[in-house]
Amino acid sequence: MKYLIISDIHANLEALEATLAAAGAWDRVLVLGDLVGYGANPDAVIERVRALPAATIIRGNHDKVGAQLESVDSFNHLARYAIAWTSATLTPDNKSWLAALPAGPAVIDDLVEICHGAPFDEDVYIFDELDARRAFTVMQRPLCLYGHTHVPAAFRFDGDMTALGPPRGPRFDLTLDGARYLVNCGAVGQPRDGDSRAAFGVFETDSRTLSVLRVPYDVATAQAKIIGAGLPEVLAQRLAIGR
Ligand code: ZN
């Protein structure tokens, strides 16, 4: 079984299409939330994800606010502006589909579980070893995949904890041994690790090998759409620098 792992698409259709093209064939896609917010194509991204066969999808914080399940109080002014625009733009059908997405964590199989922020709270960011340690106490599978920070990272726990990341370069591979792993495969639509390329993951259950991969996409078109939609220019600029 080959899983494609995508998170934090953020209404960036160009990054999503480049990722799907680069991923090749897969058996199941795991979508870790934040389909919308920041980018200019929330409806097109939702429709593309809805059409994917064999998908397991959980919601992110931007999906909740975009679907008006939660207020914008926790958002900074940029995120707030973008999500208000998103809510006003979404078709009623896409908005109710978004509102119905389940919260994580979700157990996928004997090896894998997924969450948006952390396995103990979908909205919490896992940044450091202290956060990771808390996640290891509640995760139910050897491999827990998370998103939300937009920064690839990997932690290994076998009684002692090791930070293996952040994974850099064209790819990062790890093979599951007897230890447990907490891995962020990065953001498709708004990377924040200084690398502008879309980030995603692939996990092969037979070989137990997880790869974090990067693919360039048409940043200029995504930026032009953001500016054309009247969204803040800084949301376009940050895509070029991966911040
Ligand atoms: Zn996000």
Short mmCIF file of all heavy atoms in Angstrom, two decimals, residues 8-10 33-34 36 38 61-62 116 148-150 190 192, ligand 1:
data_model
loop_
_atom_site.label_atom_id
_atom_site.label_comp_id
_atom_site.label_asym_id
_atom_site.label_seq_id
_atom_site.Cartn_x
_atom_site.Cartn_y
_atom_site.Cartn_z
N ASP A 8 -1.95 21.17 4.51
CA ASP A 8 -1.81 22.62 4.37
C ASP A 8 -1.69 23.07 2.91
O ASP A 8 -0.72 23.71 2.52
CB ASP A 8 -0.62 23.09 5.23
CG ASP A 8 -0.86 22.81 6.70
OD1 ASP A 8 -1.58 23.59 7.34
OD2 ASP A 8 -0.37 21.77 7.20
N ILE A 9 -2.73 22.75 2.16
CA ILE A 9 -2.79 23.13 0.74
C ILE A 9 -3.09 24.64 0.61
O ILE A 9 -2.58 25.32 -0.27
CB ILE A 9 -3.87 22.31 0.00
CG1 ILE A 9 -3.60 20.80 0.18
CG2 ILE A 9 -3.90 22.66 -1.48
CD1 ILE A 9 -4.80 19.92 -0.14
N HIS A 10 -3.93 25.14 1.51
CA HIS A 10 -4.21 26.57 1.60
C HIS A 10 -4.61 27.22 0.28
O HIS A 10 -4.08 28.27 -0.11
CB HIS A 10 -3.04 27.31 2.27
CG HIS A 10 -3.00 27.10 3.75
ND1 HIS A 10 -3.98 27.58 4.60
CD2 HIS A 10 -2.13 26.41 4.53
CE1 HIS A 10 -3.70 27.21 5.84
NE2 HIS A 10 -2.60 26.48 5.83
N GLY A 33 -5.56 18.39 6.46
CA GLY A 33 -6.28 19.61 6.84
C GLY A 33 -5.66 20.89 6.30
O GLY A 33 -4.57 20.90 5.75
N ASP A 34 -6.42 21.99 6.50
CA ASP A 34 -6.11 23.30 5.93
C ASP A 34 -6.07 23.25 4.40
O ASP A 34 -5.06 23.55 3.76
CB ASP A 34 -4.82 23.90 6.52
CG ASP A 34 -5.08 24.59 7.86
OD1 ASP A 34 -6.23 24.54 8.34
OD2 ASP A 34 -4.14 25.17 8.42
N VAL A 36 -8.05 25.26 2.81
CA VAL A 36 -8.34 26.65 2.41
C VAL A 36 -7.61 27.64 3.33
O VAL A 36 -6.96 27.26 4.29
CB VAL A 36 -9.86 26.93 2.43
CG1 VAL A 36 -10.60 25.95 1.53
CG2 VAL A 36 -10.42 26.88 3.86
N TYR A 38 -5.60 31.74 2.99
CA TYR A 38 -4.41 32.37 2.40
C TYR A 38 -4.42 32.44 0.87
O TYR A 38 -4.12 33.47 0.30
CB TYR A 38 -3.10 31.69 2.84
CG TYR A 38 -2.81 31.71 4.31
CD1 TYR A 38 -2.48 30.54 5.00
CD2 TYR A 38 -2.85 32.90 5.04
CE1 TYR A 38 -2.19 30.55 6.36
CE2 TYR A 38 -2.57 32.92 6.41
CZ TYR A 38 -2.23 31.74 7.05
OH TYR A 38 -1.95 31.75 8.40
N ASN A 61 -7.49 24.04 11.19
CA ASN A 61 -8.09 25.21 11.83
C ASN A 61 -8.66 26.19 10.81
O ASN A 61 -9.71 26.79 11.04
CB ASN A 61 -7.08 25.90 12.76
CG ASN A 61 -5.74 26.19 12.13
OD1 ASN A 61 -5.21 25.38 11.37
ND2 ASN A 61 -5.18 27.34 12.43
N HIS A 62 -8.00 26.34 9.65
CA HIS A 62 -8.53 27.25 8.63
C HIS A 62 -9.83 26.71 8.01
O HIS A 62 -10.70 27.49 7.61
CB HIS A 62 -7.49 27.51 7.53
CG HIS A 62 -6.38 28.41 7.99
ND1 HIS A 62 -6.28 29.73 7.64
CD2 HIS A 62 -5.33 28.16 8.81
CE1 HIS A 62 -5.21 30.26 8.21
NE2 HIS A 62 -4.61 29.32 8.92
N HIS A 116 -4.05 17.03 12.42
CA HIS A 116 -3.65 18.31 11.82
C HIS A 116 -2.53 18.94 12.66
O HIS A 116 -1.42 19.11 12.18
CB HIS A 116 -4.84 19.26 11.69
CG HIS A 116 -4.45 20.57 11.05
ND1 HIS A 116 -4.00 20.65 9.75
CD2 HIS A 116 -4.38 21.84 11.55
CE1 HIS A 116 -3.69 21.91 9.47
NE2 HIS A 116 -3.90 22.65 10.53
N HIS A 148 0.21 21.54 10.10
CA HIS A 148 -0.10 22.76 10.87
C HIS A 148 1.05 23.76 10.99
O HIS A 148 0.84 24.96 10.91
CB HIS A 148 -0.60 22.35 12.26
CG HIS A 148 -1.35 23.39 13.03
ND1 HIS A 148 -2.14 24.35 12.46
CD2 HIS A 148 -1.43 23.61 14.38
CE1 HIS A 148 -2.67 25.10 13.43
NE2 HIS A 148 -2.24 24.68 14.59
N THR A 149 2.30 23.28 11.17
CA THR A 149 3.42 24.23 11.30
C THR A 149 3.97 24.64 9.94
O THR A 149 4.71 25.62 9.85
CB THR A 149 4.59 23.63 12.10
OG1 THR A 149 5.13 22.52 11.36
CG2 THR A 149 4.15 23.15 13.47
N HIS A 150 3.68 23.87 8.90
CA HIS A 150 4.19 24.12 7.54
C HIS A 150 5.71 23.91 7.45
O HIS A 150 6.35 24.42 6.54
CB HIS A 150 3.85 25.53 7.04
CG HIS A 150 2.37 25.84 6.98
ND1 HIS A 150 1.86 26.81 6.15
CD2 HIS A 150 1.30 25.31 7.64
CE1 HIS A 150 0.54 26.87 6.31
NE2 HIS A 150 0.19 25.97 7.21
N GLN A 190 1.89 26.39 1.27
CA GLN A 190 2.54 27.58 1.85
C GLN A 190 3.69 27.13 2.75
O GLN A 190 3.63 27.25 3.97
CB GLN A 190 1.53 28.42 2.66
CG GLN A 190 2.03 29.81 2.98
CD GLN A 190 1.23 30.44 4.10
OE1 GLN A 190 1.38 30.08 5.27
NE2 GLN A 190 0.38 31.40 3.76
N ARG A 192 7.02 26.99 4.95
CA ARG A 192 7.59 28.04 5.81
C ARG A 192 8.99 27.67 6.31
O ARG A 192 9.41 28.13 7.36
CB ARG A 192 6.67 28.29 7.02
CG ARG A 192 5.34 28.91 6.65
CD ARG A 192 4.48 29.15 7.86
NE ARG A 192 3.11 29.49 7.49
CZ ARG A 192 2.07 29.43 8.31
NH1 ARG A 192 2.25 29.03 9.56
NH2 ARG A 192 0.86 29.74 7.89
ZN ZN B 1 -1.97 25.59 7.75
#
